Amino acid sequence: MKIILQQDVPGTGKRGEVREVTDGYARNFLLPKRLALPATDGNLKLVEAEAARKKHHDQEVLKSAQALAAQLEAIMLKFALKKGRDGKFFGAITAKQLSSSLQAEHQLQIDRKKIILKGGLKQLGITKVAIKLHPKVKTAITVELVEEE
């Protein structure tokens, strides 16, 4: 029996795939649990329409990520760090601070988890910080750290 999988089924296939399975497996397990649909002409057209809609949506998300990446490349954030008596700096600039600064100064909402920052920024000077907006879109913002007076 030909079926269209509605969800990922281990050992059978992934969502949206058309598979040939035994009649008993389809009637007794996949169809009652709504894991699959019979592969009729109408159901195949529905699956194709959904795949086209998903592809269009993915393209729109990619375009918006690329536009956001172009905006982010032009941004430079500036932070001041306090220096202690022994010459070391207190704290570090974190991804959360970068995210909130982008929101406050430029009205851009970037999830802190998308900012690729190991540890924190503690070095004075200008640094590029990578941001992964989409699996296919990576960009960087410029961050300048100065000593607080």
Side-chain angles (χ1 to χ4, degrees):
M1 173 183 250
K2 273 193 168 191
I3 55 144
I4 304 167
L5 293 171
Q6 293 291 94
Q7 297 178 13
D8 292 353
V9 180
T12 304
K14 301 233 181 247
R15 180 185 179 167
E17 291 181 351
V18 177
R19 293 288 180 174
E20 182 75 34
V21 296
T22 60
D23 291 346
Y25 182 54
R27 273 195 317 266
N28 297 324
F29 181 72
L30 295 174
L31 295 176
K33 293 194 176 215
R34 299 185 191 274
L35 298 174
L37 292 172
T40 62
D41 290 338
N43 287 341
L44 288 171
K45 286 180 184 177
L46 287 174
V47 169
E48 289 172 7
E50 184 179 334
R53 184 193 56 75
K54 185 179 184 309
K55 183 178 178 182
H56 178 70
H57 178 264
D58 290 346
Q59 288 174 345
E60 291 297 319
V61 169
L62 180 61
K63 285 180 186 176
S64 66
Q66 289 170 338
L68 182 59
Q71 280 183 312
L72 287 171
E73 286 178 359
I75 291 176
M76 181 168 187
L77 299 176
K78 192 171 186 177
F79 292 94
L81 290 176
K82 287 185 181 181
K83 194 173 190 180
R85 289 185 185 168
D86 57 353
K88 291 186 178 180
F89 291 100
F90 293 116
I93 303 301
T94 63
K96 185 175 181 179
Q97 289 173 308
L98 291 173
S99 176
S100 62
S101 178
L102 283 169
Q103 171 65 31
E105 295 176 22
H106 301 281
Q107 291 73 40
L108 296 174
Q109 286 215 316
I110 305 296
D111 185 14
R112 66 179 173 81
K113 295 175 186 169
K114 292 184 178 191
I115 298 173
I116 302 168
L117 186 63
K118 294 178 181 161
L121 296 176
K122 294 183 178 186
Q123 297 290 331
L124 291 182
I126 296 174
T127 308
K128 291 278 191 182
V129 177
I131 299 175
K132 188 173 184 179
L133 299 172
H134 185 273
K136 295 180 181 177
V137 179
K138 248 184 164 178
T139 189
I141 58 172
T142 306
V143 178
E144 181 180 9
L145 297 180
V146 295
E147 186 176 337
E148 190 175 272
E149 297 174 12

